[in-house]
Amino acid sequence: MAPDLLLLSSTGVHGYAPFEFAMGAFKEIVGDARALHFAPFAIVDHDYYTTRVQEILDPLGVPVVGLHAVPDARAAVEEAEVLFIGGGNSFRLLNALWSLGLIEPVRRRVEAGELRFIGSSAGTNMACPSLRTTNDMPIIQPPTFEALGLVPFQINPHYQDPDPNSTHRGETREQRILELLEQNDVAVMGLREGSWLRRRGGSLMLDGISGGRLFRRGEEPQEYQPGADLSWLLDLTPRFDSPA
């Protein structure tokens, strides 16, 4: 058995219902699972979030089990077939995953191919080695920036290209990623909305209705379109706190 991951940039895309653009990818990874376990910890109202996800994923015919509603979230993760971690605030989400003791069992079972993993937005951030490429404000301080490390590179969900006609004088997303590379030697995939990464063991493919932009230290950013084979990214070793 090998790692099986679906990492989406976003839940919603303009012109589509939530997850409509990726429902086929959801169906494929969920397969014949008896239930989909959902981590709703990135927002405050866990009951609402879980109910909403159940409504959206009803076409899959699989019950959604909120980890907030089970007696023991860690025990539930140990028995789960598919885990979906949704979007919201990444700092709140990572803090909850550490507090509930979920980092180790999720990491271990995904790496062993025992647990299929779906992430969207903040949930996709959790699959990276570190929280450092999230777009959120640090509304809470997690014990560490270390995340699940299910892929050996960073992802920036909701990546937006610089607007040459904008009068905004603040940093662009590209500038912030380049700042990160000044301090850390790690690849960063900017996933535009509507795109996702699909890992099956040693294979990593970019898919969806839009592409991505890859940043690496000392190199010009590279554009990739849906269908691109990015398996070589799985062989990289991230190095944090290593200034250029």
Side-chain angles (χ1 to χ4, degrees):
M1 300 176 73
D4 194 0
L5 293 88
L6 174 63
L7 305 176
L8 300 111
S9 176
S10 56
T11 300
V13 177
H14 181 71
Y16 293 83
F19 287 134
E20 178 186 6
F21 67 98
M23 196 60 72
F26 263 90
K27 183 177 181 179
E28 187 265 333
I29 192 171
V30 170
D32 60 356
R34 292 164 295 178
L36 182 148
H37 283 73
F38 177 59
F41 307 117
I43 73 171
V44 169
D45 193 337
H46 300 158
D47 286 334
Y48 164 79
Y49 201 1
T50 303
T51 299
R52 180 63 177 142
V53 167
Q54 178 71 79
E55 293 171 350
I56 294 170
L57 298 183
D58 263 348
L60 301 183
V62 61
V64 174
V65 178
L67 289 179
H68 69 293
V70 299
D72 186 332
R74 179 169 181 139
V77 163
E78 291 284 6
E79 298 296 327
E81 298 172 272
V82 185
L83 174 64
F84 175 31
I85 302 185
N89 186 275
S90 297
F91 290 89
R92 174 189 283 144
L93 175 56
L94 185 60
N95 187 70
L97 295 180
W98 277 109
S99 299
L100 292 168
L102 299 183
I103 294 291
E104 186 278 329
V106 171
R107 178 186 292 154
R108 169 173 43 80
R109 296 198 69 229
V110 172
E111 289 178 346
E114 300 168 350
L115 175 65
R116 286 164 268 171
F117 182 94
I118 303 169
S120 178
S121 188
T124 289
N125 279 324
M126 297 302 101
C128 301
S130 169
L131 188 64
R132 297 182 201 211
T133 47
T134 182
N135 304 309
D136 303 309
M137 289 186 178
I139 62 172
I140 190 171
Q141 182 170 314
T144 173
F145 280 1
E146 180 186 345
L148 290 165
L150 304 178
V151 293
F153 56 90
Q154 292 295 122
I155 299 170
N156 178 242
H158 308 282
Y159 179 78
Q160 291 183 311
D161 297 291
D163 181 358
N165 299 313
S166 175
T167 58
H168 177 63
R169 303 303 296 171
E171 295 91 344
T172 64
R173 193 71 59 79
E174 177 177 320
Q175 287 173 314
R176 291 181 173 177
I177 292 174
L178 293 176
E179 283 182 343
L180 175 120
L181 294 180
E182 292 171 352
Q183 298 296 132
N184 307 277
D185 189 2
V186 59
V188 182
M189 174 55 77
L191 278 182
R192 296 186 179 91
E193 294 193 344
S195 63
W196 64 80
L197 293 169
R198 185 72 172 89
R199 180 179 182 184
R200 300 177 181 89
S203 169
L204 181 73
M205 303 296 294
L206 177 65
D207 210 335
I209 59 174
S210 58
R213 197 167 198 215
L214 183 69
F215 296 83
R216 299 190 70 187
R217 177 184 280 184
E219 300 180 10
E220 289 295 316
Q222 298 294 313
E223 289 289 329
Y224 289 94
Q225 299 304 319
D229 186 342
L230 299 174
S231 302
W232 59 273
L233 286 176
L234 299 175
D235 296 326
L236 300 182
T237 300
R239 294 180 173 87
F240 294 101
D241 301 315
S242 56

